[in-house]
Amino acid sequence: MMSHGVPARAEALGARLRRARVPGLLWRCVLSSERYLSPGARMGNSALRAHVETAQKTGVFQLKDRGLTEFPSELQKLTSNLRTIDLSNNKIDSLPPLLIGKFTLLKSLSLNNNKLTVLPDELCNLKKLETLNLNNNLLRELPSTFGQLSALKTLSLSGNQLGALPPQLCSLRHLDVVDLSKNQIRSIPDTVGELQAIELNLNQNQISQISVKISSCPRLKVLRLEENCLELSMLPQSILSDAQICLLAVEGNLFEIKKLRELEGYDKYMERFTATKKKFA
């Protein structure tokens, strides 16, 4: 039985070998070598070369849905001119430390739907990176140096295995949007008060406690807390009365929404909500 990770090309090759009555041990060896070819060899060196040549002209390298198991080493030729890399929907489980930090002009990096378990510290050398999309990987934490991504504006980490709100995010002064939905976060600590984000998505976690400091976030306008484990008594009333939050999404927790409307400060929240709605109408 072939493993799920063997490329379709290898499956077709296996079928041909079986039809030709090649001995089982031999065709399994052939398939094994096919499986462990480098990403470039597996998709065809000429095809990868064409992508690299195009990226040299455009500054954009996009290679999605190709079954890549590693970051293409061919990109080392483009470290000084790539602005965008998108390697989403592959099977990449690690980033090469000696290469990833060298893309000096990189503004957008997308590796959604891969198998990353850890990020190298060298990733944090990308001083011009503004957008980092890492949805649906296997990340449990961020590098301690993550706060060095000083230009970062948008961070998407939905569908990982984070157990806590990463404190490194509070060092990012230009961060606008943070998506931490579908993780395993259980509480929001006091450090959240230093977060500079405008929008924070914490939907579908396991949050049962929120620090009152969340009301102190200087720019936070949108807070999404849907489908968590919140009792109404654990939701700080200052979110309603004192914060700048003008969109609070809390459906799917351990209380009825109509009970929220009875809390002190709800009228102030609704004033902010209505004013914002009018502004964008």
Side-chain angles (χ1 to χ4, degrees):
M1 187 72 178
M2 292 179 65
S3 79
H4 194 61
V6 179
R9 178 179 158 190
E11 283 193 35
L13 177 59
R16 290 200 302 274
L17 292 170
R18 284 194 294 274
R19 284 198 296 273
R21 297 185 179 178
V22 173
L25 181 60
L26 178 58
W27 70 257
R28 283 190 181 90
C29 290
V30 172
L31 289 182
S32 180
S33 66
E34 171 73 18
R35 180 180 181 184
Y36 291 108
L37 283 172
S38 70
R42 192 152 60 230
M43 70 170 288
N45 281 324
S46 59
L48 182 56
R49 196 158 51 242
H51 278 278
V52 170
E53 286 172 5
T54 301
Q56 230 159 359
K57 299 169 189 169
T58 63
V60 176
F61 185 85
Q62 187 178 78
L63 205 57
K64 303 193 290 186
D65 300 290
R66 295 303 182 101
L68 300 181
T69 57
E70 56 190 61
F71 192 92
S73 59
E74 290 81 357
L75 293 189
Q76 61 191 340
K77 304 169 188 172
L78 305 175
T79 53
S80 60
N81 64 327
L82 278 187
R83 296 186 309 278
T84 300
I85 296 175
D86 190 348
L87 293 167
S88 297
N89 307 332
N90 283 292
K91 298 172 184 177
I92 298 168
D93 60 9
S94 64
L95 299 177
L98 297 179
L99 175 57
I100 194 63
K102 292 183 178 178
F103 295 95
T104 52
L105 298 181
L106 197 66
K107 289 194 169 187
S108 176
L109 176 60
S110 295
L111 285 150
N112 297 323
N113 300 301
N114 275 280
K115 297 182 181 297
L116 296 172
T117 57
V118 67
L119 300 175
D121 286 340
E122 288 79 1
L123 176 72
C124 307
N125 294 335
L126 302 177
K127 302 302 182 189
K128 296 201 174 181
L129 193 68
E130 296 179 0
T131 302
L132 180 57
N133 296 315
L134 297 168
N135 297 325
N136 300 317
N137 278 278
L138 302 167
L139 299 169
R140 294 179 180 274
E141 59 183 6
L142 299 181
S144 59
T145 52
F146 199 80
Q148 295 176 15
L149 291 171
S150 52
L152 198 63
K153 294 180 180 178
T154 302
L155 175 63
S156 296
L157 285 162
S158 178
N160 278 277
Q161 297 175 10
L162 299 173
L165 184 79
Q168 301 94 312
L169 303 187
C170 299
S171 304
L172 299 169
R173 312 321 287 174
H174 300 288
L175 199 57
D176 290 332
V177 178
V178 182
D179 186 354
L180 299 174
S181 61
K182 299 179 183 177
N183 277 279
Q184 298 164 17
I185 299 169
R186 295 178 180 274
S187 64
I188 307 302
D190 288 348
T191 50
V192 73
E194 299 169 33
L195 189 69
Q196 297 292 316
I198 296 170
E199 178 172 348
L200 177 59
N201 187 343
L202 292 163
N203 289 347
Q204 297 181 32
N205 276 278
Q206 300 164 22
I207 297 167
S208 59
Q209 290 186 313
I210 303 179
S211 168
V212 69
K213 297 287 188 182
I214 199 164
S215 309
S216 305
C217 291
R219 301 200 301 153
L220 190 61
K221 303 287 187 185
V222 178
L223 177 59
R224 302 184 186 279
L225 287 163
E226 294 178 312
E227 296 182 47
N228 276 281
C229 306
L230 280 170
E231 300 274 2
L232 187 57
S233 60
M234 299 310 294
L235 189 71
Q237 288 191 19
S238 55
I239 287 179
L240 301 173
S241 58
D242 302 328
Q244 296 194 45
I245 295 166
C246 51
L247 176 58
L248 176 64
V250 289
E251 288 81 2
N253 279 280
L254 306 179
F255 58 87
E256 297 177 28
I257 292 298
K258 65 180 182 181
K259 296 288 186 185
L260 178 69
R261 298 179 189 130
E262 297 169 5
L263 290 181
E264 188 178 339
Y266 186 78
D267 290 345
K268 285 187 177 181
Y269 162 69
M270 282 308 296
E271 285 174 14
R272 297 193 302 271
F273 174 80
T274 306
T276 303
K277 200 173 177 182
K278 283 180 181 175
K279 190 188 295 185
F280 293 102

